[in-house]
DNA sequence: TTGTAGGCGTTATCAG
DNA sequence: CTGATAACGCCTACAA
């Protein structure tokens, strides 16, 4: 099927391309009659402007790129949801790329998006990300750029985050308030800022309550999976049978811990209390229901897009843009895996 | 930051744009020396071809569109994963759009992708989809198009599906084999083909085993949610306390059923057996672990993209393309919510 | 109110 | 081996 072009409309109507172009936009300097004629024919021929040509002319594609570590992940798929919804409202489309938690892949995806000349890039870093040459490249090319969730503090871009440290302190405080004396922490990998901050929060909460920090009680995830939850639960039980509380980096792992304890008929929360992070859907469905920290996901996507849009608009006007950081609120959700309800 | 263009390279090197263009592609009809010079300078200037211009010239954007009902959905996010991964291997990017199970939105998303002139469209229909004017429009414009999972049988496009009816028969047969005499079915909404087929499978399995079909035992989801599982479980218990088996349209709803029965201390599977559909991650994590039908998701994405790619290539060559349908295998997974293991 | 001309950055054709 | 020239389809000064 051949696509209709301005030229065709112009020729069949016996007027110039320019006039057709203007008429389609109902510009004031075209006669009503012409506008009507043009619109009618355009309608009839099913005309849609060739976006490739428009892109080339206007140097923008109304398309943004999104790079996240993993799509199959309750938190991230909710963020995507928020981004796509908000982008749609403003006439933007979203290209989604995954880093699979690999720095190499992440670099490739950034390069792809740069080549594609997307109007802006939204990104949550992979766990491997400990260097940021590729992020600097985005800034160097002055492509609008917003980081969210897992960010690099050193990159001066807009950001949407939560206060991981504060949230972690609150979570651990809950365990302490409910009577836990020996609290273990299953932490995330070494690189991501949020794993570091949650760990720091854990430490600070202990300190505040005059509980000695013991590095032996800290277990470090590599892949942050359900299976690691299983493994660490077993290890904790063997190495520190007197642990009575565990703060886990994220719900997926916490669910693994629960599953292992369920199997071993450990009483939860009587013998051991567990608190997770992120409030995955799954958490309220398992037995016992998992206490956790609710982290806004959809909203994070919305805010991230809006920050990006601000920057895109400012970029178009060539005016200078000062990056902003938006911090969203978290909320402790107490359910059945802790004693304090 | 200004982007480097062919023209710039040509001027600084004192050669023609044409030669630069060819050299960058290392065409055989350019001297080695020139190629080297050009590549070196391009590298130095960080040259990347302007994809907008390339799109316009080549009439393709190496970008496809994907429309799905919901992103926050274990099955679909896995499909997306497969699509993006496979697309990436072949140099394609993916724009993702959600229909939110709304026909109106679905139509808008189709229009968006058509305007965007994506090279092809991948789609799983919304539950509301009972008309296909918008799908016909895709075909009319001869845009490569593949349907997967929730499809319209009437649209002659390539498809990737499972045999829902057969899988449902197998699932219900499992319940019967394990001794269930009165089996209820919580079915999906009225429109989607897969809900219809699973319902038909349920009916056929009963028939095959000389169990009378009773329409009172069929409950119809509207939104296909966890909450509906809760509600229908309650209803079943009240209206038909002697039901001893339930075949549920999908795991999410089945988990709701489980949750309600757990709360009511109904013995599963002793009193009532439950089998779900789709094998969500959640299913193996709850107590009791849910028996279900495993449905390939990642693989479905991969196959769908490859079918689309075939069609895109054929379309480029202007050769005619005959739609193909790929049917993937399902597998019964027996866990703790049924008696037959 | 309408139209002419030039250009966005590439690629393809064809001649030198 | 190299380059001039003409598109691709649209937009926008500027001229008529």
């Amino acid at each position: 099927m051949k696509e209709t072009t301005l030229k065709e409309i112009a020729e069949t109507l016996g007027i110039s391309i320019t006039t057709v172009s203007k008429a389609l936009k109902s510009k004031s300097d075209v006669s009503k009659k012409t506008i009507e004629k043009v619109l009618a024919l355009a309608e009839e021929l099913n005309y849609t402007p060739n976006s490739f040509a428009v892109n080339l002319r206007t140097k923008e594609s109304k398309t943004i790129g999104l790079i996240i570590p993993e799509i199959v992940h309750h938190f991230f798929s909710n963020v995507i949801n928020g981004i796509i919804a908000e982008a749609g409202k403003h006439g933007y489309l979203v290209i989604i790329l995954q880093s699979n938690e690999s720095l190499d892949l992440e670099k490739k995806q950034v390069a792809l998006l740069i080549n594609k000349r997307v109007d802006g890039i939204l990104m949550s870093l992979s766990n491997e990300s400990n260097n940021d040459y590729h992020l600097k490249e985005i800034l160097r090319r002055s492509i609008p750029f917003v980081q969210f969730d897992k960010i690099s503090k050193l990159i001066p871009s807009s950001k949407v985050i939560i206060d991981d440290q504060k949230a972690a302190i609150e979570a651990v405080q809950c365990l302490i308030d409910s009577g836990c004396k020996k609290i273990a922490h299953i932490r995330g990998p070494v690189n991501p800022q949020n794993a570091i901050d949650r760990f720091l929060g854990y430490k600070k909460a202990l300190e505040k309550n005059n509980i000695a920090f013991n590095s032996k009680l800290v277990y470090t995830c590599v892949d942050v999976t359900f299976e690691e939850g299983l493994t660490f639960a077993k290890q904790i039980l063997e190495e520190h049978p007197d642990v009575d509380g565990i703060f886990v980096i994220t719900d997926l792992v916490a669910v693994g811990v629960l599953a292992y304890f369920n199997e071993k008929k450990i009483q939860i929360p009587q013998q051991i209390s567990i608190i997770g992070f992120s409030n995955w859907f799954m958490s309220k469905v398992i037995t016992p229901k998992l206490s956790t920290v609710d982290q806004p996901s959809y909203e994070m996507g919305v805010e991230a897009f809006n920050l990006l849009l601000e920057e895109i608009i400012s970029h178009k006007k060539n005016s200078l843009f000062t990056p902003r950081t938006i911090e969203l609120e978290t909320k402790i959700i107490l359910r059945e895996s802790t004693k304090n309800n």
Side-chain angles (χ1 to χ4, degrees), chain A residues 3 32 46 58 62 98 118 131 134 201 230 239 274 288 298 302 310-311 319 330:
Chain A
E3 306 283 351
K32 263 214 173 119
N46 246 313
T58 62
K62 295 281 186 183
Q98 245 185 137
V118 289
N131 106 26
H134 56 310
L230 253 30
E239 297 172 3
I274 301 172
Y298 184 92
V302 171
E310 262 184 44
E311 190 169 344
S319 54
T330 57

Side-chain angles (χ1 to χ4, degrees), chain A residues 16-254:
Chain A
S16 81
I17 294 180
T18 312
T19 309
V20 177
S21 170
K22 285 186 204 159
L24 282 171
K25 304 210 163 58
S26 298
K27 293 250 179 171
S28 56
D29 62 345
V30 184
S31 77
K32 263 214 173 119
K33 238 182 168 170
T34 331
I35 291 187
E36 275 166 24
K37 269 196 312 188
V38 170
L39 287 180
L41 186 58
E43 172 82 45
E44 189 192 324
L45 296 180
N46 246 313
Y47 171 79
T48 49
N50 181 318
S51 67
F52 298 157
V54 176
N55 290 168
L56 180 58
R57 256 325 294 235
T58 62
K59 296 181 185 313
E60 58 171 4
S61 58
K62 295 281 186 183
T63 304
I64 63 163
L66 165 63
I67 302 176
I68 48 162
E70 279 203 71
I71 289 174
V72 186
H73 194 290
H74 190 256
F75 174 74
F76 284 124
S77 56
N78 270 295
V79 177
I80 296 179
N81 200 359
I83 292 173
I84 292 190
E86 194 66 15
K89 273 188 207 160
H90 297 273
Y92 281 79
L93 294 175
V94 184
I95 289 173
I96 300 182
L97 255 21
Q98 245 185 137
S99 66
N100 283 325
E101 301 286 8
S102 140
L103 176 59
D104 271 359
L105 204 47
E106 185 177 291
K107 286 182 181 169
K108 273 183 206 144
Q109 315 294 39
V110 168
L112 270 179
L113 291 179
I114 290 179
N115 288 347
K116 187 73 183 179
R117 279 169 162 70
V118 289
D119 297 348
I121 296 177
L122 244 33
M123 186 158 166
S124 178
L125 302 186
S126 79
N127 286 339
E128 271 190 6
S129 279
N130 52 4
N131 106 26
D132 39 27
Y133 181 75
H134 56 310
L135 307 183
K136 294 220 178 86
E137 179 66 15
I138 300 177
L139 300 184
R140 214 179 58 71
R141 301 206 176 218
S142 64
I143 297 172
F145 178 47
V146 175
Q147 301 184 72
F148 63 89
D149 189 49
K150 295 198 284 184
I151 59 150
S152 163
K153 284 192 174 161
L154 302 173
I155 296 288
S157 76
S158 283
K159 303 182 180 81
V160 185
I161 49 173
I162 58 169
D163 189 335
D164 281 286
Q165 207 170 127
K166 185 176 137 225
I169 292 178
E170 286 171 12
V172 174
Q173 189 65 50
C174 276
L175 293 177
I176 295 172
D177 289 348
S178 78
C180 296
K181 302 290 183 210
K182 187 162 181 181
I183 300 172
H185 175 37
I186 299 182
R187 63 162 288 169
V190 287
N191 284 322
Q193 191 62 48
N194 61 1
I196 295 171
D197 284 335
R198 290 177 203 176
F199 166 67
L200 255 31
Y202 161 75
K203 239 174 126 173
K204 279 201 186 158
L206 296 184
E207 210 169 281
K208 251 199 335 209
N209 291 271
N210 298 310
I211 301 179
F213 166 74
N214 174 357
S215 65
K216 294 257 170 62
L217 292 177
V218 177
Y219 295 79
T220 306
C221 287
V222 175
D223 303 319
V224 197
T225 58
F226 175 77
E227 286 71 23
E228 279 181 325
L230 253 30
T231 312
F232 287 135
K234 179 159 186 260
Q235 227 173 304
I236 289 175
L237 220 51
E238 288 169 0
E239 297 172 3
H240 304 280
D242 54 339
V243 157
D244 55 6
I246 309 179
F247 167 49
V248 189
I249 179 80
T250 190
D251 284 3
L252 178 60
V253 178

Side-chain angles (χ1 to χ4, degrees), chain A residues 167-168 170-172 174-175 246-247 251 254 258 273-285 288-296 329-341:
Chain A
E170 286 171 12
V172 174
C174 276
L175 293 177
I246 309 179
F247 167 49
D251 284 3
L258 268 184
S273 297
I274 301 172
I275 188 160
F277 207 111
S278 266
N279 194 20
W280 286 41
F281 173 76
M282 196 192 310
S283 310
K284 63 171 180 237
V285 158
K289 299 195 180 83
L290 184 68
S291 295
T292 187
V293 179
D294 182 63
Q295 177 186 14
E329 289 299 316
T330 57
K331 202 173 71 200
I332 298 280
I333 311 247
L334 294 178
R335 290 198 273 243
E336 304 165 358
S337 67
T338 48
K339 285 172 288 185
N340 27 9
N341 32 11

